[in-house]
């Protein structure tokens, strides 16, 4: 008997990330423009780093609050008051070891083995495996792609709900498609969840990256009422250039507090105190930095999408939200092969759409949260490559 055959079937079945495959293939190549991963190219700002190093120097290296240090939970409450116009006491907030950890805990909290959670596809692949590793079943509902835009068919969503459905995973603005739910979409999704007595896990990590003339995207916080079964997952990664820190949070009903605390205790036993000090600084002093990231993304989005759409070989229009262009290129039928080929031939690394589940196979994802000058060069290389297909 092999060692692998003696392991948990759930663990063995967890697939290799198609994004990481390209990263491993291309990492370290001279002159490469990496648009592969969902992160910007700016390091964490000094005011965040300084708060963390001061905490380390002060000896804050012991076990900490499982739900998050009081200062961070208060800073999260204040942040939501500023940017979402809601008054949520600190009891609604729970600090996690990354947005991925937040999503995993939310799945564990609402779903048992054999239950189903519906997600909208194409999607960030980690949510699929998070559901499957928990013992629940992931059920992908493809978004419609019409005229270069993505749309949710609410009738198809309701038809996908079965007696086994325990939750809906809704990522808006969405990775990788940029699909962004309208207030009417959110109201309709929430009505379905109420009707069928199921949970919503709302991934609103990209809420601030919204290009339709408002300061943020529509949120379930705008339409929900007390007692609604919604858990929000979020992260410090994208807004504050903190992807490597692995700090996130949940917003959940206070009645769940002990359940979430227990799940934290038995997974990572709390986020390091000194990292949480940096997160406090990010929330309290980082609004201007976040806006600068949004401004860079907006400029780079226009540069990339305008150049590629002008080839008349790319069907995708500018996304309404998030930090990605999900590109359907005429002549590309194998996105994995194309992504690897682009690394070799033009020195631009994109993520293959096949990594994002049903409906993504013909697409390539480019993250444009980068120096606009670098994105302009990447757009030039990509446009030449596409014209030559």
């Amino acid at each position: 008997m092999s060692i692998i055959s003696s392991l948990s079937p759930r663990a063995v079945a967890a697939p290799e990330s198609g994004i990481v495959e390209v990263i491993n293939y291309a990492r370290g190549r001279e002159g490469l423009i990496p648009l592969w991963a969902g992160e910007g190219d700016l390091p964490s700002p000094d005011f965040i780093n300084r708060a963390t190093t001061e905490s380390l120097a002060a000896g804050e290296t012991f076990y900490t609050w499982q739900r998050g240090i009081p200062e961070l939970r208060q800073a999260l409450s204040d942040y939501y008051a500023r940017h979402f116009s809601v008054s949520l006491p600190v009891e609604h907030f729970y600090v996690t070891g990354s947005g991925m950890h937040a999503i995993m805990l939310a799945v564990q909290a609402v779903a048992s083995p054999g239950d189903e959670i519906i997600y909208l596809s194409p999607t960030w692949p980690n949510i699929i495996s998070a559901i499957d590793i928990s013992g629940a079943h992931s059920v992908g509902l493809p978004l419609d792609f019409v005229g270069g835009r993505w749309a949710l068919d609410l009738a198809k969503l309701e038809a996908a709900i079965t007696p086994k459905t325990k939750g809906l995973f809704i990522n808006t603005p969405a990775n990788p498609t940029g699909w962004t739910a309208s207030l009417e979409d959110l109201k309709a999704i929430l009505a379905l969840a109420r009707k069928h007595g199921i949970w919503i896990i709302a991934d609103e990590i990209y809420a601030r990256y919204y290009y339709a003339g408002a300061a943020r995207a529509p949120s379930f916080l705008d339409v929900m009422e007390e007692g609604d079964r919604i858990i929000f997952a979020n992260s410090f990664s994208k807004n504050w250039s903190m992807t490597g820190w692995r700090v996130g949070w949940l917003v959940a009903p206070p009645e769940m507090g002990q359940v979430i605390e227990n799940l934290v205790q038995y997974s990572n036993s709390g986020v390091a105190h000194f990292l949480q000090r940096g997160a406090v600084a990010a929330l309290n002093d980082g609004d201007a930095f976040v806006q600068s990231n949004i401004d860079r993304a907006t400029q780079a989005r226009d540069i990339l999408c305008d150049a590629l759409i002008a080839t008349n070989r790319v069907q995708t229009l500018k996304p309404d939200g998030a930090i990605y262009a999900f590109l359907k290129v005429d002549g590309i039928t194998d996105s994995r092969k194309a992504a690897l080929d682009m690394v070799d031939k033009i020195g631009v690394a994109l993520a293959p759409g096949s990594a994002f589940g049903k409906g993504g196979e013909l697409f390539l994802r480019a993250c444009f949260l980068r120096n606009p000058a670098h994105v302009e060069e990447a757009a030039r290389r990509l446009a030449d490559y596409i014209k030559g297909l």
Side-chain angles (χ1 to χ4, degrees):
M1 177 182 293
S2 71
I3 291 176
I4 297 299
S5 66
S6 67
L7 299 177
S8 160
R10 290 181 200 164
V12 173
E16 177 187 8
S17 167
I19 305 169
V20 174
E21 181 188 9
V22 173
I23 292 174
N24 289 338
Y25 182 74
R27 192 191 300 274
R29 300 207 186 193
E30 186 175 351
L32 183 81
I33 302 178
L35 308 184
W36 48 29
E39 63 179 352
D41 57 349
L42 293 179
S44 305
D46 288 343
F47 70 91
I48 295 175
N49 298 338
R50 188 164 54 250
T52 296
T53 57
E54 289 173 356
S55 175
L56 275 168
E60 291 183 326
T61 58
F62 296 94
Y63 288 133
T64 188
W65 283 264
Q66 305 295 282
R67 304 186 190 194
I69 63 174
E71 297 90 339
L72 181 48
R73 298 176 80 199
Q74 183 61 57
L76 284 163
S77 177
D78 296 341
Y79 176 80
Y80 274 79
R82 289 198 309 277
H83 294 289
F84 291 84
S85 301
V86 292
S87 178
L88 294 174
V90 297
E91 290 77 17
H92 288 261
F93 298 96
Y94 309 88
V95 180
T96 63
S98 74
M100 181 67 242
H101 188 222
I103 290 169
M104 182 64 95
L105 296 187
V107 169
Q108 291 174 345
V110 306
S112 300
D115 289 338
E116 296 176 350
I117 294 182
I118 296 171
Y119 65 90
L120 306 182
S121 185
T123 192
W124 182 50
N126 292 32
I127 179 56
I128 302 172
S129 292
I131 295 168
D132 294 340
I133 290 171
S134 75
H137 297 300
S138 58
V139 178
L141 177 70
L143 294 166
D144 293 332
F145 184 69
V146 180
R149 293 200 177 278
W150 298 87
L152 171 63
D153 187 323
L154 290 161
K156 291 180 181 177
L157 177 58
E158 182 161 26
I161 296 172
T162 75
K164 292 184 177 181
T165 303
K166 197 64 178 287
L168 306 175
F169 180 83
I170 307 294
N171 172 212
T172 175
N175 175 8
T177 60
W179 171 77
T180 303
S182 67
L183 276 177
E184 293 308 311
D185 288 331
L186 297 177
K187 289 176 183 177
I189 294 168
L190 181 54
L192 285 179
R194 290 169 176 165
K195 175 182 175 180
H196 294 277
I198 55 182
W199 282 87
I200 293 172
I201 300 174
D203 176 350
E204 296 188 353
I205 283 174
Y206 300 99
R208 302 285 302 282
Y209 292 94
Y210 184 55
Y211 312 107
R216 62 164 175 83
S219 165
F220 280 107
L221 290 165
D222 300 323
V223 298
M224 68 184 294
E225 298 174 358
E226 187 174 354
D228 281 328
R229 299 178 183 181
I230 305 178
I231 302 174
F232 297 85
N234 218 310
S235 168
F236 287 89
S237 292
K238 319 298 182 180
N239 289 349
W240 296 276
S241 297
M242 296 171 66
T243 50
W245 291 60
R246 319 313 301 137
V247 185
W249 72 86
L250 289 168
V251 185
E255 295 89 337
M256 295 179 63
Q258 193 58 53
V259 172
I260 294 175
E261 179 172 334
N262 293 345
L263 291 174
V264 169
Q265 169 64 31
Y266 302 128
S267 54
N268 74 341
S269 297
V271 175
H273 198 127
F274 52 89
L275 296 180
Q276 294 191 60
R277 291 291 187 197
V280 172
L283 291 166
N284 289 346
D285 304 318
D287 282 355
F289 181 81
V290 174
Q291 187 58 53
S292 71
N293 258 340
I294 295 168
D295 292 343
R296 290 174 99 236
T298 304
Q299 183 182 358
R301 161 186 172 265
D302 291 344
I303 290 170
L304 180 67
C305 292
D306 286 346
L308 298 185
I309 291 171
T311 66
N312 293 318
R313 301 288 302 276
V314 177
Q315 297 180 37
T316 308
L317 300 179
K318 293 180 182 179
D320 292 330
I323 57 175
Y324 310 101
F326 205 45
L327 309 167
K328 187 176 184 182
V329 180
D330 293 345
I332 290 180
T333 57
D334 185 333
S335 59
R336 175 183 175 275
K337 183 174 182 290
L340 298 175
D341 189 52
M342 288 177 180
V343 170
D344 292 330
K345 291 184 177 178
I346 62 172
V348 177
L350 307 183
S354 56
F356 299 92
K358 297 177 181 178
E361 296 85 355
L362 299 180
F363 292 77
L364 292 154
R365 190 195 73 176
C367 176
F368 51 72
L369 181 55
R370 301 188 66 82
N371 183 329
H374 296 166
V375 172
E376 185 171 16
E377 173 60 19
R380 184 192 65 77
R381 297 183 193 179
L382 286 166
D384 288 345
Y385 178 90
I386 289 167
K387 290 174 186 176
L389 289 175

